[in-house]
Amino acid sequence: MKSPRVPVRVFAAGALVGVVCGGAGLSSSASAEEEPVSSHRSTQVVERSEAGGTMSAATARAVDRAVRSQATRRQAQYAPGSIVIGVRAHIIEGTHRGERHATLAGVRRQIAVLNQAYAGQEALGRTPDVNSTTTADTSFRFALRGVTKTRNEAWYHVSAPGATANRMKRTLHQGHAYTLNIYFVQPSRSSGLLGYATFPYQYAAHPRLDGLIVNDQSLPGGNLTHFNLGNTAVHEIGHWLGLRHVFNDQAVGSTEAPDPVDDCVDNDGLADTPVQAYPTSGDPVGKDTCVQDADHPQWVGDDAIHNFMDYSWDEAMYQFTPDQSSYMDLSWAHYRAPHRAS
């Protein structure tokens, strides 16, 4: 069966030069918004690491109070697969030969990976992490609603939040709080960037900066060994839907010697993800940064190395937990649903 026709618009240096097939027009509005604090992950090919701002503890507490309100809980009663998120994919190309990696076929493969991951299908035949007896079939599925192609050297090499990323997003962003905009770029090699995302609570102040920036070599079949199965986008969408990392964000990038007692913080506030001090590199066996003992009986289980919200290799990631699924529902209902509870 043929895939449905997807609107594709072609740009050069930010200016419309041709329409491949029909689709919704771009909004022409642009404001002097500042780049919001975002979840930001990078890799030096061999590992994932934090390379930017994270949600502060105070902000996390405020967001948790908001999404767990009685009104939001009443609205967030979604069945598995009942929310289909429209995706607007923005393929950014460079102006030099060899700077055109992302393709429509690659984007379609990425959408298929998203649907497998959020349906819990990547976990079939695998063992869930110790604190979660089941892998969630979440409420979310994804449908490609349109693709833009833009040739712009500066945008192609966006490596961090800032003025260049702002201009790109404000020019290309489409839709509303419930529309997922993904920008596929090729960050500078020295940055090692895999991607970063905005959180739902940031949309109200910065609507045109909402979305994901993703390394185009992390698409399924890309050339980033261990990071080319499409799970970077899965992880970043988790943030876009409100999830935090399963490890302690504040311990990432610290120059101090690791201290499991100080660093064992329940970062995501969810009962079925183990307390975890540090992000995972690779696909280790039996990693446990917060070992249960008499003084810390709550530190149950090995680290959640198979969870999409860790930093493991793509082949090691295959699970969202039921509590993560419920939290995404709450976040959607409060911040992104067409008829929000907030």
Side-chain angles (χ1 to χ4, degrees):
M1 185 176 70
K2 291 184 178 179
S3 300
R5 198 159 175 257
V6 175
V8 179
R9 290 177 176 264
V10 180
F11 296 76
L16 180 64
V17 296
V19 178
V20 177
C21 62
L26 297 177
S27 170
S28 60
S29 63
S31 62
E33 298 161 305
E34 295 297 324
E35 178 80 355
V37 176
S38 58
S39 172
H40 198 144
R41 67 208 290 253
S42 65
T43 178
Q44 300 302 325
V45 179
V46 296
E47 65 178 348
R48 304 180 195 264
S49 63
E50 190 74 11
T54 59
M55 191 186 298
S56 70
T59 299
R61 288 192 295 270
V63 168
D64 284 349
R65 286 194 299 270
V67 303
R68 296 181 192 280
S69 69
Q70 186 174 1
T72 302
R73 290 199 303 271
R74 282 198 301 267
Q75 180 172 327
Q77 304 293 320
Y78 305 121
S82 62
I83 300 170
V84 179
I85 297 175
V87 178
R88 299 287 178 168
H90 306 286
I91 296 173
I92 313 300
E93 300 177 339
T95 57
H96 301 97
R97 182 178 298 178
E99 293 185 332
R100 301 168 194 175
H101 296 295
T103 64
L104 179 57
V107 171
R108 289 188 188 279
R109 289 193 295 270
Q110 179 67 79
I111 298 298
V113 169
L114 298 180
N115 283 320
Q116 284 184 317
Y118 281 81
Q121 293 176 355
E122 288 197 19
L124 295 177
R126 306 208 212 184
T127 303
D129 285 315
V130 66
N131 279 21
S132 179
T133 56
T134 59
T135 294
D137 178 359
T138 78
S139 305
F140 302 99
R141 302 294 187 268
F142 303 86
L144 188 60
R145 302 301 189 199
V147 178
T148 67
K149 284 189 178 182
T150 306
R151 192 165 299 169
N152 184 304
E153 188 71 12
W155 295 359
Y156 182 66
H157 293 297
V158 162
S159 300
T164 301
N166 287 359
R167 284 193 294 271
M168 177 182 69
K169 288 181 173 183
R170 285 197 295 263
T171 301
L172 299 177
H173 185 276
Q174 300 179 39
H176 306 279
Y178 48 85
T179 307
L180 175 59
N181 283 260
I182 309 179
Y183 305 85
F184 294 102
V185 303
Q186 178 58 259
S188 63
R189 191 174 297 275
S190 61
S191 75
L193 179 73
L194 273 176
Y196 65 89
T198 53
F199 289 106
Y201 78 91
Q202 296 168 318
Y203 181 86
H206 308 284
R208 297 191 64 75
L209 300 183
D210 188 55
L212 283 55
I213 287 182
V214 173
N215 189 315
D216 61 14
Q217 292 300 321
S218 73
L219 283 162
N223 66 7
L224 290 179
T225 303
H226 298 306
F227 305 103
N228 58 358
L229 301 180
N231 284 339
T232 288
V234 174
H235 174 106
E236 300 303 342
I237 292 169
H239 290 310
W240 188 81
L241 289 170
L243 294 181
R244 302 192 288 275
H245 293 132
V246 294
F247 54 81
N248 178 10
D249 280 327
Q250 307 309 312
V252 177
S254 174
T255 58
E256 299 179 2
D259 185 338
V261 175
D262 289 341
D263 293 335
C264 286
V265 174
D266 186 6
N267 191 69
D268 63 4
L270 302 177
D272 62 1
T273 57
V275 176
Q276 179 174 328
Y278 318 122
T280 300
S281 175
D283 184 10
V285 176
K287 175 174 172 275
D288 189 1
T289 54
C290 299
V291 179
Q292 185 182 34
D293 57 26
D295 294 326
H296 305 97
Q298 74 276 22
W299 293 353
V300 179
D302 293 345
D303 292 354
I305 66 169
H306 302 306
N307 196 282
F308 286 116
M309 301 316 293
D310 201 349
Y311 274 3
S312 309
W313 287 346
D314 273 17
E315 56 263 40
M317 288 179 156
Y318 52 79
Q319 182 183 31
F320 286 117
T321 69
D323 283 357
Q324 286 176 318
S325 177
S326 296
Y327 193 88
M328 287 189 282
D329 287 351
L330 291 169
S331 185
W332 176 266
H334 191 80
Y335 291 113
R336 295 201 180 278
H339 303 288
R340 295 183 287 280
S342 54

